[in-house]
Amino acid sequence: MFCRTLRTVTPSAYIDLHSAALLTRLQRLVGISTVNPPGENYAAITTELTRDLTALGLRTRRFTIPRTLLRQTLPPAQHAFPRYNVLGKLAAPGAKKTLHFNAHYDVVPVSGLWRHGSAFSGTVDAGWIYGRGTADMKGSIASLLFALQALRATGTTPRLNVEVSFTADEETDSVLGTGWLVEHAPIKPDYAIVMEGGELDQVCCGHNGTLWLEVTVHGRAAHGSMPERGINALEKMSALVLALGDYQRRLARRTFVTPEGKTMRPTINLGGEFSAGPGGKINTVPALARFTIDRRVLAVEDQSAAERDLRAFLAAAARKIPQCKISVAKISENFSCFSPPTHPFFTAMAGCVTRVRQQPTVFNVSTGFNDMHFFSHHLKIPTLGYGPGGEDFHAVNERAKVKELLASAKIYADILTRFAG
Ligand SMILES: [Zn+2]
């Protein structure tokens, strides 16, 4: 009797009727502080998420990152903090294609004074839910789980097989999170939705990449009273930094117009970190100087070409400066990605967003990066970014809008029931 009554309710109506349940779940997730670094309470949250997915009928497994790999990958201060990824699968009768949903469950550290006391309160106030992770991105997790709950409760069969991954460490480098997942977990998606990067009326079809280099300038120490006997690394570094002004201007001439009509340009930020070598003293000619370069790679640029080009420029610039010896090390990189939003998967998603939000939809390219590139670049499948988003990401009073959490849940349910691949 109860079941038959529910069957007459659509997933969307179910979501509206039971909206309080979404918020309760999100409060519970926000209450487990998964601050990274160092990576706290990952065991607790992945236990909870495994239980939630299992209860929703997904075949679910929690993967523990092997200790040796963890020790090889993370700095010693994080060796006591285990890493886990959760994977759930739901086979839909008759479905031929598989859609993968991904979200990271770690959050950035907390500081400052929050409006409702604790940063992990999950307080609902005037249509918003507050707390670290509400926007980035436990809100997405809660929306997706609620969408799956709505499908199950209303007896609605998805037209696609479903894979769900909740992964670690996106706020650091994703190596043991989504990076590990696409390499080692038994997944075989045809499409992916990373549940951030696009929000409101924007569906994300790509994001910038990063290339982080550290340049070391090697000089020669001498007594400060006889500077002519040394090679001043700071002076050489200054000349090199000035020369990089040319490179900045050269990059600024490269443009990429996104599908929504925004012009993006590659950038470099110099010296986010800079330092002298050990033994620096006011009366010593500095023997070493070091600075970083944060190169933002356009969604349509080739990452390795960008790196080769920058390294070649640095080498040539250093050769023009007398006695300027440098070495260049790569600190890290994140691939950019871009899928032209002409594929039916993108059209279908834009249709769902437009239908649920009653507003035209545009395709955006995100300046920051997220885990989309692991699916788009590594697995080479059509990948988009969409989630409930929010305000003050990584800041005090991070919050998500209740209306958008519910809208995202409806959109996820909608794509699963309308698109067959
Ligand atoms: Zn995020």
Side-chain angles (χ1 to χ4, degrees):
M1 179 68 180
F2 180 62
C3 248
R4 205 162 55 230
T5 318
L6 279 179
R7 269 174 208 282
T8 63
V9 173
T10 63
S12 173
Y14 178 93
I15 287 165
D16 283 331
L17 279 168
H18 300 84
S19 57
L22 188 157
L23 298 179
T24 309
R25 179 180 271 133
L26 181 50
Q27 275 164 343
R28 226 170 53 219
L29 296 176
V30 169
I32 306 172
S33 114
T34 46
V35 168
N36 177 33
E40 294 166 359
N41 299 313
Y42 282 8
I45 201 156
T46 51
T47 301
E48 177 104 8
L49 292 171
T50 304
R51 197 165 41 217
D52 278 350
L53 285 172
T54 307
L56 290 168
L58 282 80
R59 214 153 32 81
T60 308
R61 217 178 129 185
R62 182 176 82 158
F63 295 90
T64 307
I65 300 299
R67 266 189 80 79
T68 37
L69 181 60
L70 187 132
R71 296 176 81 88
Q72 280 162 15
T73 314
L74 297 176
Q78 284 171 262
H79 287 182
F81 296 87
R83 262 61 186 162
Y84 307 93
N85 296 308
V86 176
L87 174 66
K89 288 184 182 189
L90 185 70
K96 297 206 165 35
K97 298 286 173 75
T98 300
L99 172 57
H100 190 109
F101 289 91
N102 167 266
H104 65 84
Y105 60 75
D106 58 319
V107 300
V108 294
V110 166
S111 62
L113 279 180
W114 286 59
R115 197 167 299 162
H116 305 95
S118 164
F120 303 100
S121 73
T123 306
V124 180
D125 183 357
W128 294 82
I129 177 164
Y130 286 75
R132 173 64 80 234
T134 48
D136 183 13
M137 63 183 294
K138 290 173 176 174
S140 304
I141 297 177
S143 287
L144 176 69
L145 291 173
F146 202 50
L148 296 173
Q149 183 176 324
L151 293 178
R152 187 174 165 86
T154 57
T156 312
T157 310
R159 298 180 67 198
L160 293 151
N161 299 312
V162 184
E163 285 180 359
V164 178
S165 62
F166 298 134
T167 49
D169 288 359
E170 195 271 347
E171 299 297 356
T172 42
D173 57 12
S174 301
V175 170
L176 300 179
T178 308
W180 180 90
L181 182 95
V182 296
E183 287 274 355
H184 302 286
I187 59 171
K188 215 177 174 312
D190 298 286
Y191 311 100
I193 297 179
V194 172
M195 295 182 283
E196 65 177 348
E199 57 187 78
L200 309 175
D201 63 338
Q202 304 195 322
V203 174
C204 181
C205 59
H207 61 69
N208 275 354
T210 55
L211 169 66
W212 290 354
L213 298 180
E214 184 180 66
V215 182
T216 304
V217 181
H218 305 272
R220 192 173 65 232
H223 195 279
S225 65
M226 293 171 285
E228 70 284 359
R229 294 201 179 171
I231 298 172
N232 189 314
L234 176 71
E235 289 175 7
K236 304 296 173 197
M237 179 175 89
S238 307
L240 189 63
V241 166
L242 282 178
L244 277 161
D246 271 347
Y247 197 71
Q248 278 168 319
R249 284 184 286 278
R250 190 199 289 186
L251 286 183
R253 287 198 291 273
R254 285 184 209 168
T255 56
F256 164 52
V257 180
T258 68
E260 59 173 326
K262 217 171 98 188
T263 302
M264 298 178 91
R265 298 166 203 279
T267 55
I268 48 171
N269 174 48
L270 301 178
E273 290 174 17
F274 58 94
S275 58
K281 254 174 126 267
I282 193 164
N283 58 351
T284 302
V285 173
L288 194 142
R290 211 171 245 154
F291 68 102
T292 54
I293 302 180
D294 175 1
R295 161 80 153 95
R296 296 296 161 135
V297 182
L298 289 180
V300 290
E301 280 187 290
D302 180 90
Q303 183 94 11
S304 40
E307 180 176 348
R308 270 198 312 276
D309 192 54
L310 177 52
R311 282 178 180 270
F313 184 92
L314 284 165
R319 272 197 299 275
K320 283 190 206 142
I321 302 164
Q323 296 184 299
C324 180
K325 220 177 108 207
I326 64 167
S327 52
V328 180
K330 177 150 66 183
I331 299 173
S332 76
E333 69 182 339
N334 266 288
F335 283 91
S336 64
C337 67
F338 179 69
S339 310
T342 46
H343 190 283
F345 173 54
F346 287 84
T347 323
M349 186 64 173
C352 296
V353 175
T354 302
R355 206 161 23 247
V356 170
R357 301 192 70 261
Q358 298 284 303
Q359 204 186 338
T361 303
V362 294
F363 290 104
N364 73 303
V365 174
S366 172
T367 46
F369 61 87
N370 58 48
D371 279 349
M372 279 171 67
H373 62 101
F374 289 109
F375 298 94
S376 175
H377 184 93
H378 195 91
L379 297 184
K380 310 216 179 306
I381 57 172
T383 302
L384 59 82
Y386 192 83
E391 294 283 337
D392 289 323
F393 285 62
H394 294 204
V396 173
N397 296 324
E398 177 180 344
R399 60 198 175 279
K401 203 170 197 170
V402 174
K403 205 174 123 211
E404 293 302 331
L405 290 163
L406 297 172
S408 283
K410 290 178 191 174
I411 289 163
Y412 297 148
D414 211 37
I415 185 89
L416 283 171
T417 47
R418 284 179 192 268
F419 183 64

